[in-house]
Amino acid sequence: MKKALKIIGIFIALVLLVIIVYVSYVLISFHRFGNMKLTPEGEPAEKTAQTGKTYSFVSYNIGFGAYESDYGFFMDGGTESRAWSKERLDANLKKITELLKNQNADFYFVQEVDIDSTRSYHLDERDYLNPSFENYSHVFAQNYNSSYLLYPIYCPHGASKSGIMTFSKAEITEADRVELPIETGIMKILDLDRCYSKSRVNVENGKELVLYNFHLSAYTSDGKIAEEQLKLLVADIKAEYDKGNYCIAGGDFNKDLLDGEKVFGEFDKDYTWAQPIPKEIYEDAGLTLVRPFDENNPVPSCRNADSAYHEGQFVITIDGFLVTDNVKVESAEVIDTEFAYSDHNPVRMTFELEE
């Protein structure tokens, strides 16, 4: 009996040691990139943007190419932690790229672009996007470089390197990665690092068009940190507008852009990431929230990936744009893919830069 208890005790001690070593590894290896200069690449079709011309803008969170319509992610209540297979991921990324290219937009914001992640079989997803946008300037900003996550035990999520990409037919003259606030404590491990990219395009009248690409936090304790992130972003936009520049921000807000209206039915539970944005955050700065919404044919921009896409699943609109009042918005819509390639649908906006 004593020998058996001793063996059990040694086993428990070893398990605890492994846990302590792993937790220490995760905490010690966690780091933030901070603010940094980015290098624009590509050979754009135009040198400058023009006033009085109608442009189009598409924003799309591609969900690292994994979220086909039959996919459910473990952090959303589903079971999967990686793309179904390297072959299916490859095929889906090609469809995503084709979809974006067919939009023939002047500007693109793309979120959740993996460059070397376990969950996406270490494919560099920029290699799918860049060749299709040869006549665009493009900038990549890395959002995070996470430690190896040993959960779920049956198929660990692994390590993730992912970011956001901006494409512009007009030349991007300079760009920056700007760090966003994140939660402290253990929650920072779940939500990882966060940033937005800030790209500058010259306008023919001597001003600049400043493009802000973002993917705000989702996996937080109460959803408040996304509001703090938005406040920092809005302050930056206002400072540029005060200089006379044009500003367009777009991406995944991880907030309900329809102001709590139950357009797509009642929520069956509380989702911290699905709360409405307090209007004063952007209205006090003189900005307009562009909600891609058609009253006659409402289409959501996101589904909760707790399982395969199905009738009655929780859906919402969390993707859209913020613009300054010298940007005249002509239309905004959700492109209905029925979530065939991602847990998001792309959103499209047409606009003019006013004289």
Side-chain angles (χ1 to χ4, degrees):
M1 178 63 73
K2 288 182 179 180
K3 186 177 180 180
L5 290 174
K6 184 178 180 180
I7 293 173
I8 293 172
I10 292 173
F11 176 76
I12 293 173
L14 287 173
V15 170
L16 289 174
L17 179 61
V18 169
I19 293 172
I20 292 170
V21 170
Y22 174 70
V23 172
S24 299
Y25 149 73
V26 170
L27 293 175
I28 293 171
S29 62
F30 179 86
H31 67 281
R32 306 201 67 190
F33 291 105
N35 299 334
M36 63 176 66
K37 284 288 181 183
L38 303 174
T39 303
E41 300 181 53
E43 298 180 4
E46 303 166 10
K47 292 295 290 183
T48 63
Q50 302 174 30
T51 58
K53 177 182 177 180
T54 298
Y55 287 108
S56 56
F57 216 130
V58 169
S59 179
Y60 193 17
N61 181 333
I62 66 171
F64 64 92
Y67 289 78
E68 299 172 68
S69 60
D70 59 350
Y71 188 86
F73 189 53
F74 77 102
M75 291 187 74
D76 293 330
T79 58
E80 302 306 316
S81 56
R82 304 179 184 182
W84 288 118
S85 68
K86 189 174 183 179
E87 292 72 26
R88 283 184 64 169
L89 176 64
D90 173 77
N92 200 46
L93 286 168
K94 289 175 179 176
K95 292 175 184 176
I96 287 171
T97 302
E98 183 180 6
L99 169 67
L100 288 170
K101 187 176 181 179
N102 288 343
Q103 287 299 312
N104 193 28
D106 300 287
F107 304 92
Y108 292 89
F109 287 150
V110 188
Q111 300 89 38
E112 279 205 65
V113 180
D114 278 8
I115 59 174
D116 185 15
S117 301
T118 310
R119 65 189 186 180
S120 49
Y121 301 93
H122 302 284
L123 291 178
D124 189 336
E125 297 178 352
R126 294 173 296 186
D127 293 341
Y128 292 81
L129 295 166
N130 289 341
S132 295
F133 299 99
E134 292 180 343
N135 61 333
Y136 289 74
S137 272
H138 58 86
V139 168
F140 176 79
Q142 189 167 334
N143 229 355
Y144 49 81
N145 180 7
S146 73
S147 306
Y148 197 97
L149 180 62
L150 276 171
Y151 187 84
I153 300 299
Y154 60 86
C155 185
H157 186 59
S160 299
K161 291 183 181 179
S162 190
I164 51 183
M165 292 199 76
T166 299
F167 294 91
S168 169
K169 275 188 179 178
E171 182 181 11
I172 297 174
T173 58
E174 61 178 284
D176 295 273
R177 179 194 192 274
V178 183
E179 187 170 88
L180 287 167
I182 61 172
E183 285 198 315
T184 57
I186 195 65
M187 290 304 297
K188 70 182 181 182
I189 304 300
L190 298 178
D191 200 44
L192 310 175
D193 202 357
R194 290 288 166 176
C195 73
Y196 62 84
S197 67
K198 180 179 180 181
S199 304
R200 296 182 179 275
V201 172
N202 288 328
V203 182
E204 61 177 357
N205 62 3
K207 302 298 183 181
E208 289 182 303
L209 169 60
V210 188
L211 307 174
Y212 298 85
N213 186 358
F214 60 83
H215 181 189
L216 303 185
S217 290
Y219 302 112
T220 59
S221 57
D222 59 7
K224 294 296 183 183
I225 196 65
E227 294 177 14
E228 296 303 313
Q229 294 171 347
L230 194 57
K231 288 176 183 177
L232 187 147
L233 173 66
V234 165
D236 191 336
I237 296 172
K238 187 176 186 306
E240 291 292 343
Y241 175 69
D242 289 344
K243 297 175 186 177
N245 291 329
Y246 305 87
C247 299
I248 298 176
D252 181 353
F253 286 81
N254 270 315
K255 289 289 184 183
D256 181 7
L257 301 192
L258 301 185
D259 199 26
E261 301 171 19
K262 306 303 182 186
V263 177
F264 307 111
E266 293 287 335
F267 301 171
D268 59 357
K269 60 180 178 178
D270 292 331
Y271 295 89
T272 58
W273 58 274
Q275 303 305 308
I277 298 173
K279 292 183 179 180
E280 62 271 13
I281 292 178
Y282 58 88
E283 288 183 346
D284 289 353
L287 305 182
T288 299
L289 176 64
V290 181
R291 310 186 304 169
F293 177 62
D294 181 350
E295 290 185 359
N296 297 319
N297 182 33
V299 177
S301 78
C302 181
R303 70 178 178 92
N304 185 52
D306 55 347
S307 65
Y309 180 48
H310 60 273
E311 188 71 26
Q313 189 172 52
F314 171 59
V315 293
I316 193 171
T317 291
I318 61 175
D319 303 89
F321 302 91
L322 280 170
V323 301
T324 46
D325 65 8
N326 51 6
V327 177
K328 180 183 178 183
V329 176
E330 297 178 350
S331 66
E333 63 176 335
V334 178
I335 301 165
D336 191 2
T337 67
E338 296 184 336
F339 303 110
Y341 318 116
S342 171
D343 57 330
H344 289 251
N345 280 320
V347 295
R348 181 183 177 94
M349 174 180 74
T350 58
F351 64 96
E352 289 183 14
L353 306 179
E354 295 190 327
E355 298 285 353

